[in-house]
C-alpha cells in the first residue's frame, strides 16, 4: 500500500478513537441495541460489490441525493403512492439504483434487531462500505443514530439536488443551503471519479451550446479532443440512453483522478467545469491533486454531508420497510 493511504488510514483510526460526533450522531450508536448491525450491512454490501463493481457509485449518489433533500433521513427510499409523488419520481432520481440491496440489508437487520436500525443509517453505511470494498477497510467513519423521515416529495428533490447544468454561483448556493462550504463542494465533486453520466445531461456542451442551432457550437471550456470523443458516443442532443464514464481513465477506481481530468478540461458536466471558473475552487482543485489530501478531506466532507438536517432522538421513526412509512 502506498504511504499516502497508510497515513490516511492511521488518521481515520485516530478519528474513531476520539469518538467523533456531529450533533447527536455518534460512532457505534448501535453497539448495545444491535451490536452486529454494522457488520451485517458491510457483509451484504461487500458481497454485492464483489460481483457488481458499479455499485459504489450508485450508493454514493443515493446518499448524496438523500441528504440534499430534507437531510439524511432515508426519504429518497420511499415509494410514490396514489396521493403523493415521492422523491424517487423526480428526474435526478430516475437513474438511482441499488434500492433492492438496501431492502435486502433492512430485511436482514429486521430479523436480527426488529425496529432498531434506521433506513437512513443503512444508506450512509452502504455508501461508505461499497466504496471501501476496493480498499478492504473503511475509508471514512460513519456516525450513526439517524432516524427516518416520513415525508418524500418529488418537487423537493427537483428544488434541492444540484443540477449538472449549474454554474459556480448556483453550485455554491446549493451547498451553502446545506451548510456546506466551497471546499466541501470541490471535495465531494471528487466522487465523480466513479460512475457514469447520461448523454442528455452534458450533450448540450457538444452541440448547440449557445443556442445558435449550429452543430459545431461546442462549449469552449471543454477539451476539443475529449469533445470529439464524446460526440462518437452521444450523436445527438436527444440521446438519453447512452452512458459514458465520468472518469474515463479509471471509472471503477475511487481515487483523486477526477481532479487531474478536471485540470485537462475533461470534466463531463457543466457543473464540473464550473469549479475552474472560481479562484477559491480552483485553488482547492489544485490541493486535491495530492492523493492523501483528497482521501483525508473526502472523509471529513462526507461526514459533514452525512449530518445534514438529521432526525435524531424521538424525531421521525424507524421504518419497518424502507420504501414505506410505518403509518
Amino acid at each position: 500500500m502506498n504511504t499516502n493511504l497508510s497515513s490516511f488510514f492511521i488518521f481515520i483510526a485516530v478519528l474513531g478513537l476520539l469518538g467523533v460526533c456531529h450533533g447527536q450522531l455518534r460512532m457505534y450508536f448501535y453497539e448495545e441495541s444491535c451490536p452486529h448491525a454494522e457488520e451485517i450491512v458491510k457483509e451484504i454490501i461487500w458481497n454485492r460489490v464483489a460481483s457488481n463493481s458499479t455499485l459504489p457509485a450508485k450508493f454514493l449518489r443515493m446518499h448524496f441525493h438523500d441528504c440534499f433533500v430534507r437531510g439524511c433521513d432515508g426519504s429518497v427510499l420511499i415509494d410514490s403512492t396514489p396521493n403523493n409523488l415521492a422523491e424517487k419520481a423526480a428526474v435526478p432520481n430516475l437513474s438511482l439504483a441499488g434500492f433492492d440491496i438496501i431492502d435486502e440489508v433492512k430485511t436482514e437487520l429486521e430479523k436480527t434487531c426488529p425496529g432498531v436500525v434506521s433506513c437512513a443509517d443503512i444508506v450512509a453505511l452502504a455508501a461508505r462500505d461499497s466504496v471501501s470494498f476496493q480498499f478492504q477497510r473503511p475509508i471514512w467513519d460513519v456516525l450513526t443514530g439517524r432516524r427516518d423521515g416520513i415525508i418524500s416529495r418529488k418537487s423537493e428533490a427537483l428544488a434541492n439536488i444540484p443540477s449538472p447544468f449549474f454554474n459556480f454561483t448556483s453550485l455554491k448556493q446549493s451547498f451553502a443551503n446545506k451548510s456546506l462550504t466551497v471546499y466541501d463542494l470541490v471535495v465531494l465533486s471528487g466522487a465523480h471519479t466513479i460512475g457514469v453520466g447520461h448523454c442528455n445531461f452534458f450533450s448540450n456542451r457538444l452541440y448547440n451550446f449557445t443556442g445558435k442551432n449550429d452543430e459545431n457550437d461546442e462549449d469552449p471550456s471543454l477539451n476539443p479532443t475529449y469533445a470529439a470523443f464524446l460526440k462518437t458516443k452521444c450523436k445527438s442532443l436527444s440521446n438519453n440512453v447512452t452512458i459514458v464514464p465520468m472518469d474515463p481513465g479509471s471509472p471503477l477506481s475511487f481515487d483523486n483522478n477526477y481532479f487531474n481530468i478536471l485540470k485537462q478540461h475533461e470534466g463531463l458536466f457543466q457543473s464540473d467545469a464550473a469549479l475552474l471558473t472560481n479562484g477559491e475552487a480552483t485553488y482547492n482543485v489544485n490541493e486535491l491533486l495530492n492523493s492523501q489530501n483528497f482521501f483525508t478531506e473526502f472523509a471529513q466532507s462526507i461526514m459533514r454531508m452525512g449530518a445534514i438536517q438529521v432526525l435524531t432522538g424521538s424525531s421521525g421513526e424507524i421504518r419497518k420497510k424502507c420504501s414505506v412509512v410505518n403509518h
Side-chain angles (χ1 to χ4, degrees), residues 38-318:
E38 294 197 22
E39 196 52 45
I40 289 168
V41 178
K42 189 187 93 167
E43 191 174 331
I44 294 173
I45 296 296
W46 278 23
N47 281 337
R48 293 296 175 204
V49 174
S51 58
N52 183 354
S53 53
T54 68
L55 285 173
K58 297 182 194 307
F59 285 126
L60 204 48
R61 187 162 174 252
M62 185 189 290
H63 184 31
F64 177 69
H65 284 211
D66 184 35
C67 290
F68 263 67
V69 187
R70 291 193 163 262
C72 315
D73 67 345
S75 55
V76 75
L77 305 171
I78 297 174
D79 286 339
S80 295
T81 64
N83 302 320
N84 178 61
L85 283 175
E87 290 170 35
K88 277 183 181 177
V91 169
N93 289 335
L94 294 177
S95 54
L96 288 182
F99 296 115
D100 54 328
I101 300 170
I102 299 292
D103 290 340
E104 181 187 350
V105 172
K106 179 63 172 172
T107 301
E108 198 54 43
L109 286 168
E110 285 298 305
K111 282 184 205 162
T112 313
C113 328
V116 174
V117 183
S118 70
C119 299
D121 275 344
I122 294 171
V123 171
L125 289 164
R128 189 270 309 275
D129 292 340
S130 60
V131 173
S132 296
F133 175 75
Q134 174 188 331
F135 305 95
Q136 291 293 294
R137 60 197 296 182
I139 67 162
W140 69 83
D141 283 328
V142 174
L143 308 182
T144 42
R146 296 167 190 78
R147 286 171 63 85
D148 296 323
I150 56 171
I151 296 169
S152 181
R153 296 189 183 117
K154 174 184 174 179
S155 59
E156 292 183 358
L158 278 171
N160 285 279
I161 295 169
S163 160
F165 301 107
F166 272 4
N167 62 19
F168 183 77
T169 306
S170 301
L171 286 171
K172 181 179 177 179
Q173 187 59 55
S174 178
F175 275 65
N177 291 345
K178 308 299 171 189
S179 303
L180 296 173
T181 64
V182 167
Y183 200 41
D184 293 320
L185 159 63
V186 177
V187 170
L188 292 171
S189 295
H192 284 184
T193 186
I194 51 175
V196 295
H198 285 75
C199 287
N200 52 315
F201 290 116
F202 62 83
S203 54
N204 67 309
R205 303 183 71 201
L206 307 174
Y207 312 102
N208 204 24
F209 184 63
T210 55
K212 295 179 194 160
N213 289 325
D214 172 2
E215 64 180 31
N216 298 315
D217 182 16
E218 264 174 36
D219 180 349
S221 71
L222 189 60
N223 180 316
T225 311
Y226 186 47
F229 161 75
L230 291 175
K231 282 181 174 178
T232 68
K233 303 289 181 189
C234 307
K235 295 189 163 64
S236 74
L237 274 171
S238 57
N239 180 339
N240 61 359
V241 178
T242 307
I243 53 174
V244 300
M246 292 189 282
D247 175 358
S250 52
L252 297 172
S253 175
F254 190 81
D255 52 34
N256 70 327
N257 197 48
Y258 168 81
F259 300 101
N260 293 314
I261 63 173
L262 208 55
K263 295 291 287 183
Q264 293 159 30
H265 300 283
E266 293 181 2
L268 191 60
F269 302 118
Q270 274 174 263
S271 57
D272 295 317
L275 300 182
L276 297 181
T277 64
N278 170 269
E280 181 186 354
T282 304
Y283 179 83
N284 298 154
V285 167
N286 290 333
E287 282 196 325
L288 298 166
L289 293 169
N290 175 301
S291 180
Q292 186 182 337
N293 285 353
F294 171 62
F295 281 108
T296 304
E297 297 303 331
F298 191 85
Q300 292 292 293
S301 286
I302 199 158
M303 284 169 73
R304 277 194 287 275
M305 185 190 88
I308 296 172
Q309 294 170 278
V310 289
L311 300 172
T312 57
S314 58
S315 303
E317 63 182 19
I318 303 296

